[in-house]
Amino acid sequence: MIKIQYANKHTSEELLKRNVPESTTVDEAVKGILENVKSNGDKALFEYAEKFDRAKLKVLQVSAEEIAKAVDDTDEYFKDTLMMAKANIEEYHRKQLKQGYEIKKENGVVLGQRILPLEKVGIYVPGGTASYPSTVLMNAIPAKIANVKEVIMVTPPNSDGIIAKEILTAAYIAGVDKIFKIGGAGAVAALAYGTESVPKVDKIVGPGNVFVATAKRMVFGTVDIDMVAGPSEVLVVADDSANPVYVAADLLSQAEHDKLSSSFLITDSESLAKAVSDELERQIPLLERAEIARTSIDNNGKIIVASDIDEALDYANEFAPEHLELAVEDPFSLLPKVINAGSVFLGHHTPEPMGDYFAGPNHTLPTSGTARFSSPLGVDDFIKRTSYLHYTEEALCLVSERVADFARREGLTAHAKSITVRGK
């Protein structure tokens, strides 16, 4: 049963500690996989598909026929839902598009910045026994809005070598260009280095297990990555207007993700704290993933009673959660006080899963407190900025001595010569 703690009896460090157990190192195993794929290409990928996914594949790329069959086999109701979600995600992310600019100064000086899409992007979608079409939409759609030329998706198949029809249908709707039946660290290696079948990309985005996260960390520098994500987490700030049934359900929506997921409630109402604790005990046995949720709540769940909502929000900002729910009477009055959160859910009728699937903001969010300095996945992750400048002879001569002097003070006399050689 979840323990209720009181803010005035503990330090914030005690209250907000993420109880993530030490994991055994996977670095050596991942390093070996990366080197194998880099050296042996498709051969290594076929071997890993059989070893880890129990799938004996003849080809790695999903065919157009397989995609068409998946789309045909997916029911119209879900296809309509995917289309509605796509429209919401597109509408939200189109607002993130940036334009380049140019500054024209006296003496013919021109300064500017160009916004350019990345050429090729790889998106990792967990698969096998799981199916996450929402991940497809959230990763592919911003890339398409940014005008990435080629979006390449990797996802592990089941033991029959098949990818869930919902994933393939989402990829078709989102406009993914190529899909490969590969997963784990091997898929990350294939995207980073390229193989006979899999194109080398410029950036890899998308969630995965510890092997995927470790592989992304290791290939960073060869390619860019979005983030190294940790376990999912939600923090609910609630006052006495909150419904304990709703709050408990929202805490469990994250707890069912993973045994390492964190679900926190911070409230100024002791009666709400007790009611939510009781409600958790009622709801957990009713879940299909009750064992996972039970472990997550028992090991990583917390209910904290603060002196008031302002103190609760201070704790929330210190924790910097992936998902922050403001289950209070007037959530918009608190929004300006939120400094650190991946995404904020306002009011009693905006549960976190609305962001996971449908509303429009991206569900790929900073975890483990990294919301203090990082942002949700968006269009900016799929573009690069290139600066340009032009000086006329007259404009250069006006400042050449100053620039040359600057270079000499840094001990870079060849830099200075590059300026002065052009004369005065």
Side-chain angles (χ1 to χ4, degrees):
M1 186 171 181
I2 197 167
K3 183 180 178 182
I4 298 175
Q5 303 178 69
Y6 293 84
N8 60 355
K9 294 182 180 179
H10 302 274
T11 65
S12 62
E13 185 176 352
E14 285 179 277
L15 289 172
L16 302 176
K17 182 179 180 182
R18 288 170 167 89
N19 296 322
V20 179
E22 293 184 9
S23 59
T24 56
T25 180
V26 298
D27 284 22
E28 284 303 311
V30 170
K31 185 178 179 181
I33 292 171
L34 296 180
E35 290 176 349
N36 187 17
V37 173
K38 188 175 183 180
S39 299
N40 297 304
D42 284 358
K43 180 176 181 292
L45 296 177
F46 283 116
E47 290 171 355
Y48 289 135
E50 185 168 358
K51 179 178 180 180
F52 296 124
D53 304 313
R54 302 185 189 88
K56 293 184 178 181
L57 302 177
K58 294 181 179 179
V59 293
L60 297 174
Q61 186 170 351
V62 178
S63 68
E65 291 75 18
E66 287 176 280
I67 297 171
K69 184 178 186 306
V71 174
D72 286 343
D73 290 347
T74 300
D75 63 274
E76 292 299 322
Y77 183 83
F78 186 60
K79 282 191 277 194
D80 286 346
T81 299
L82 289 174
M83 292 298 295
M84 292 169 69
K86 178 189 178 186
N88 291 340
I89 296 164
E90 284 182 332
E91 180 184 30
Y92 183 86
H93 287 80
R94 285 194 189 283
K95 297 288 186 181
Q96 298 175 352
L97 279 168
K98 289 183 171 63
Q99 301 296 320
Y101 59 85
E102 187 170 271
I103 303 168
K104 293 184 177 180
K105 305 178 75 171
E106 59 185 11
N107 301 315
V109 173
V110 179
L111 310 174
Q113 180 174 274
R114 298 176 67 205
I115 304 295
L116 302 169
L118 300 182
E119 292 277 327
K120 289 186 175 74
V121 167
I123 63 174
Y124 188 97
V125 178
T129 59
S131 176
Y132 297 105
S134 61
T135 298
V136 180
L137 300 183
M138 293 293 182
N139 285 272
I141 290 172
K144 284 294 181 177
I145 290 172
N147 287 319
V148 170
K149 293 186 178 178
E150 193 169 24
V151 176
I152 298 152
M153 188 177 95
V154 295
T155 187
N158 64 20
S159 58
D160 295 322
I162 296 171
I163 294 172
K165 63 179 183 282
E166 293 85 359
I167 288 181
L168 293 181
T169 300
Y172 174 79
I173 287 172
V176 172
D177 296 291
K178 293 179 181 177
I179 307 169
F180 293 90
K181 301 177 182 181
I182 53 177
V188 174
L191 292 171
Y193 306 125
T195 72
E196 299 91 330
S197 298
V198 184
K200 178 180 178 180
V201 302
D202 302 308
K203 185 166 187 170
I204 301 170
V205 302
N209 62 20
V210 65
F211 290 91
V212 171
T214 301
K216 285 171 67 178
R217 173 171 54 81
M218 287 185 172
V219 300
F220 175 65
T222 300
V223 293
D224 191 16
I225 63 171
D226 52 349
M227 63 185 75
V228 179
S232 186
E233 54 197 32
V234 64
L235 189 153
V236 180
V237 170
D239 61 18
D240 59 8
S241 70
N243 185 324
V245 176
Y246 297 172
V247 174
D250 292 356
L251 295 174
L252 292 173
S253 73
Q254 291 307 292
E256 75 166 353
H257 260 300
D258 190 287
K259 292 179 179 181
L260 298 179
S261 297
S262 297
S263 300
F264 283 24
L265 165 64
I266 307 179
T267 178
D268 63 346
S269 169
E270 187 172 3
S271 62
L272 178 70
K274 291 178 179 177
V276 170
S277 178
D278 292 342
E279 190 61 31
L280 286 169
E281 294 307 306
R282 187 188 71 82
Q283 291 188 29
I284 288 173
L286 305 177
L287 299 176
E288 290 186 12
R289 296 166 66 90
E291 181 186 358
I292 294 172
R294 175 87 272 168
T295 302
S296 172
I297 289 295
D298 287 351
N299 293 346
N300 309 312
K302 293 185 180 181
I303 296 178
I304 299 168
V305 178
S307 59
D308 55 38
I309 288 297
D310 282 340
E311 183 181 42
L313 206 57
D314 287 342
Y315 282 124
N317 280 322
E318 186 173 346
F319 188 73
E322 178 187 17
H323 307 101
L324 173 63
E325 288 192 10
L326 298 181
V328 297
E329 189 170 7
D330 185 8
F332 283 93
S333 68
L334 293 186
L335 183 58
K337 300 178 182 180
V338 175
I339 307 301
N340 300 321
S343 189
V344 185
F345 300 78
L346 300 163
H348 301 310
H349 303 288
T350 316
E352 183 277 332
M354 285 302 299
D356 279 347
Y357 299 111
F358 196 77
N362 210 283
H363 79 193
T364 304
L365 303 169
T367 62
S368 307
T370 58
R372 292 180 295 108
F373 52 79
S374 57
S375 306
L377 189 76
V379 173
D380 283 349
D381 289 283
F382 300 102
I383 59 98
K384 57 186 177 182
R385 300 179 299 276
T386 299
S387 60
Y388 61 91
L389 52 159
H390 167 76
Y391 270 66
T392 62
E393 182 179 8
E394 178 186 6
L396 178 63
C397 287
L398 287 171
V399 295
S400 60
E401 280 302 323
R402 287 188 180 278
V403 180
D405 176 68
F406 208 144
R408 294 188 197 102
R409 289 172 187 266
E410 292 191 347
L412 300 174
T413 55
H415 279 62
K417 186 69 172 177
S418 173
I419 297 290
T420 60
V421 72
R422 285 168 165 78
K424 299 181 181 177

